[in-house]
Amino acid sequence: MYALTLTAELNGVTNLRPKDNEASPFWYTFMVQCTSCRETHPNAISVSRFEVNELSGSRGEANFVWKCKNCKRESSCSFKTSPKAYEHSEPPKQQTVVEFDCRGLEFTSFLPDGEWLAEGLDSGTKFESIELQDGEWFDYDEKANDEVSIKDLKWDIRRA
């Protein structure tokens, strides 16, 4: 089992999470490496926890099935939890966003492509369409009369 974790400085917002539901699935984007031959796939791959693929030889199914071009081994990954919201904390703490089980492959890095959601810390204002690809986000919370931000994002993939 592996976990995607985040450490980030949230100013004026909390409950940062990917917009991820069956009607609008979030595509988690990773760089992937084969654990047999250690070949790293040159392109990022995207995985949805709502997509299900069959493993060859009718051994079941997984959210992501991949065949290494180098060693030809089939590998898979399945999400084990739905995403957990990243809560505001002072100082910022490492928190698990989502957990997954990888067989024969390893995710080496995460790219936060896609739409994220958050709420005003004191105001409850809903923030949608947050983009974190640049590593930071800034906006203004009109109810709180203050600037809000998400910065210093540190993504990590570790054993759960």
Side-chain angles (χ1 to χ4, degrees):
M1 285 283 272
Y2 291 91
L4 171 65
T5 64
L6 170 63
T7 307
E9 185 181 318
L10 273 53
N11 294 305
V13 292
T14 191
N15 294 334
L16 176 65
R17 65 209 178 275
K19 181 179 180 182
D20 189 16
N21 56 56
E22 219 163 334
S24 178
F26 186 84
W27 289 87
Y28 297 84
T29 306
F30 296 97
M31 296 304 293
V32 64
Q33 181 180 63
C34 176
T35 56
S36 284
C37 67
R38 304 313 273 172
E39 180 80 13
T40 299
H41 188 58
N43 302 318
I45 59 97
S46 294
V47 184
S48 165
R49 66 189 185 96
F50 296 103
E51 184 174 282
V52 177
N53 301 286
E54 297 217 359
L55 296 165
S56 62
S58 66
R59 295 180 317 192
E61 48 193 32
N63 296 119
F64 176 65
V65 178
W66 176 63
K67 188 171 189 175
C68 178
K69 287 184 176 143
N70 190 43
C71 72
K72 310 294 185 235
R73 181 172 176 205
E74 185 178 81
S75 305
S76 64
C77 177
S78 292
F79 285 89
K80 294 300 177 191
T81 63
S82 54
K84 298 177 186 92
Y86 184 89
E87 305 287 335
H88 175 272
S89 65
E90 285 291 335
K93 290 187 308 201
Q94 184 179 48
Q95 299 176 39
T96 297
V97 176
V98 70
E99 292 180 356
F100 41 87
D101 185 22
C102 293
R103 305 286 170 115
L105 66 85
E106 197 171 277
F107 292 140
T108 57
S109 62
F110 174 71
L111 307 165
D113 297 342
E115 188 176 338
W116 294 76
L117 308 170
E119 282 134 31
L121 187 60
D122 297 320
S123 68
T125 301
K126 304 267 186 239
F127 293 97
E128 298 181 356
S129 302
I130 297 171
E131 293 185 3
L132 299 175
Q133 294 94 314
D134 296 334
E136 59 187 17
W137 170 83
F138 297 90
D139 205 335
Y140 190 78
D141 186 339
E142 294 187 15
K143 285 185 191 171
N145 248 359
D146 206 1
E147 183 179 85
V148 293
S149 64
I150 301 168
K151 47 189 189 178
D152 297 330
L153 292 105
K154 293 178 189 74
W155 300 99
D156 193 24
I157 299 163
R158 60 175 180 76
R159 290 197 178 274

